[in-house]
Amino acid sequence: MTAPDPLALAANYFDGHSASPQAARLRRSGAELLIEAADDPTSPPRELRRVPWRQVGWPERSRHGQRQAYLPGHGLLVGPDTAAWDAWAAAQGAGPGWVNRWILSWRGVLATLVLAIAALPVGWIWGLPALASGVLTLVPTTVDAQLGDAGLAQFEREMLRASALPAARQAAIRTQFQQAVQRTDALHRSRGLPPLPPYTLHFHATPERGIGPNAFALPGGHIVLTDALAQLLDDRPEVLMGVLGHELGHVQHRHGMRMLVQGAAVAGISSMLLGDVSSLLALVPVVFSHAAYSRGFEFEADAEAARLLRANGHSPQVMTLLFDRLRADQAQRSGARRGTTGGDAGGDKPVELPIGLATHPPDAERVRRMVAAD
């Protein structure tokens, strides 16, 4: 009778041709795995197969169930004695890696969960904007123009009307803003700063309960100014230039595209976690038309408005007037609606435009930052 080999491991061998297992012993012989028949312990070992050790597949170990190893080409080894298999595999250098050990440890799983929760705010505050900025460098500006054209067409269909502002008034505003941009560009050139981006200024009226005095920018350089805002600042052209400079700042920094990329990234990550890929496609137009600029974007655009005002000999402090007049106009319109409805107007709110001045609440901090901006 042959003595048991302490370096051998009992296993079941499936040769890939028959569904019946064969009792076998496994031994490592140098750079090879030797599979021997173990059906007759009284006879000398009979070799069944010899395969390169590096070509044997060792699946990730689970806490329960039999152990397995995949043989190159065909064939499978199954070890019913998991403890013996793990000890033998570890002795041969085929034990589980640190990732597998981490997954099988409740401490590792708990630590991973804690790290993931801690990483969420970090990724949201710094990681996502950095990712969006990096991706945006790969997106050509022609994409901005295409999306901006589509967005403007949608707004013109659903929220905007033809402007009733006299053509002479429109021409005057265009000329004033063009001259303001040219003076700012000249200052930028003297400081080695990049020129301001090209833009197209659009004038539009809005329905009675629409967005009211407002301005907003779309990717590709579209800047929309409502008649109501032009009339609200009819006597203060320098403030109107500050408003348009703010919107041009959004165009300059591609804020609309950055919001779209960030929204798509959030949708993509959510889809990977939740498995709902359809939401990714559905989110693109939603983000584009309903996402509000972040405070960081607003401050960035405010800084550009401040530079334009200073380049044209005005203090950014003049923007305080804009907030005062918007607040008064909002109060007047709310009072008019209450008078019309005869009660609480909470269910009769005007249409909001998240990417326009409607989301720019009068904010002393914004004025303070603009005044302090270089």
Side-chain angles (χ1 to χ4, degrees), residues 213 229 232-233 319-335 337-338 357-358 360-365 367:
L229 185 57
L232 189 71
L233 299 174
M319 298 305 290
T320 304
L321 178 78
L322 168 69
F323 300 137
D324 292 341
R325 289 192 178 181
L326 284 175
R327 188 164 50 239
D329 177 82
Q330 187 176 16
Q332 183 180 10
R333 295 206 302 161
S334 297
R337 285 195 301 276
R338 282 195 296 270
L357 285 173
H360 299 188
D363 190 336
E365 183 183 3
V367 175

Side-chain angles (χ1 to χ4, degrees), residues 309-324:
L309 287 170
R310 289 185 188 281
N312 288 272
H314 303 292
S315 168
Q317 186 75 41
V318 300
M319 298 305 290
T320 304
L321 178 78
L322 168 69
F323 300 137
D324 292 341

Side-chain angles (χ1 to χ4, degrees), residues 121-134:
V122 175
W124 181 262
I125 295 174
W126 293 288
L128 194 57
L131 174 65
S133 297

Side-chain angles (χ1 to χ4, degrees), residues 21-327:
Q22 185 172 355
R25 284 192 298 268
L26 310 181
R27 285 193 300 111
R28 182 167 184 173
S29 177
E32 294 180 315
L33 173 64
L34 182 59
I35 305 171
E36 298 172 331
D39 47 357
D40 186 0
T42 62
S43 301
R46 176 171 54 87
E47 181 175 321
L48 296 175
R49 188 174 176 186
R50 185 185 293 264
V51 298
W53 180 268
R54 295 175 61 86
Q55 295 183 16
V56 178
W58 306 93
E60 287 186 359
R61 195 182 70 182
S62 60
R63 186 173 297 277
H64 303 288
Q66 297 178 330
R67 301 291 187 252
Q68 295 181 341
Y70 304 124
L71 302 177
H74 57 83
L76 175 70
L77 296 170
V78 177
D81 187 342
T82 56
W85 179 288
D86 293 343
W88 179 83
Q92 309 305 321
W98 70 270
V99 174
N100 195 197
R101 293 196 300 272
W102 184 282
I103 294 173
L104 295 176
S105 168
W106 69 267
R107 294 180 180 84
V109 173
L110 181 60
T112 301
L113 180 61
V114 171
L115 290 175
I117 294 174
L120 282 177
V122 175
W124 181 262
I125 295 174
W126 293 288
L128 194 57
L131 174 65
S133 297
V135 171
L136 209 56
T137 60
L138 305 177
V139 179
T141 54
T142 54
V143 176
D144 297 41
Q146 292 174 356
L147 292 175
D149 292 346
L152 180 62
Q154 181 177 354
F155 283 124
E156 288 177 336
R157 283 194 307 271
E158 300 178 2
M159 303 178 67
L160 302 174
R161 302 291 183 267
S163 173
L165 209 63
R169 176 63 177 143
Q170 293 186 23
I173 293 175
R174 291 185 197 279
T175 300
Q176 290 169 352
F177 188 51
Q178 182 181 13
Q179 292 173 346
V181 170
Q182 289 173 345
R183 283 190 284 268
T184 307
D185 264 338
L187 182 62
H188 279 196
R189 283 195 297 271
S190 68
R191 296 181 175 180
L193 299 174
L196 295 175
Y199 67 91
T200 304
L201 182 57
H202 304 269
F203 293 90
H204 278 288
T206 63
E208 181 180 355
R209 293 177 178 174
I211 60 177
N214 220 310
F216 60 92
L218 294 172
H222 294 293
I223 297 177
V224 176
L225 175 66
T226 68
D227 292 356
L229 185 57
Q231 293 163 353
L232 189 71
L233 299 174
D234 189 55
D235 60 330
R236 298 298 297 269
E238 76 280 15
V239 181
L240 189 55
M241 294 304 103
V243 170
L244 297 178
H246 173 95
E247 301 306 329
L248 189 59
H250 284 312
V251 176
Q252 180 179 357
H253 294 283
R254 303 176 75 182
H255 288 159
M257 289 296 295
R258 286 166 65 178
M259 288 298 298
L260 180 60
V261 172
Q262 289 182 199
V266 170
I269 294 172
S270 300
S271 297
M272 286 189 292
L273 295 177
L274 304 176
D276 183 11
V277 180
S278 61
S279 62
L280 175 61
L281 300 177
L283 187 69
V284 173
V286 176
V287 169
F288 185 63
S289 59
H290 295 287
Y293 287 138
S294 69
R295 285 175 63 86
F297 289 176
E298 295 304 331
F299 290 144
E300 206 167 28
D302 282 346
E304 299 302 333
R307 291 192 183 96
L308 184 140
L309 287 170
R310 289 185 188 281
N312 288 272
H314 303 292
S315 168
Q317 186 75 41
V318 300
M319 298 305 290
T320 304
L321 178 78
L322 168 69
F323 300 137
D324 292 341
R325 289 192 178 181
L326 284 175
R327 188 164 50 239

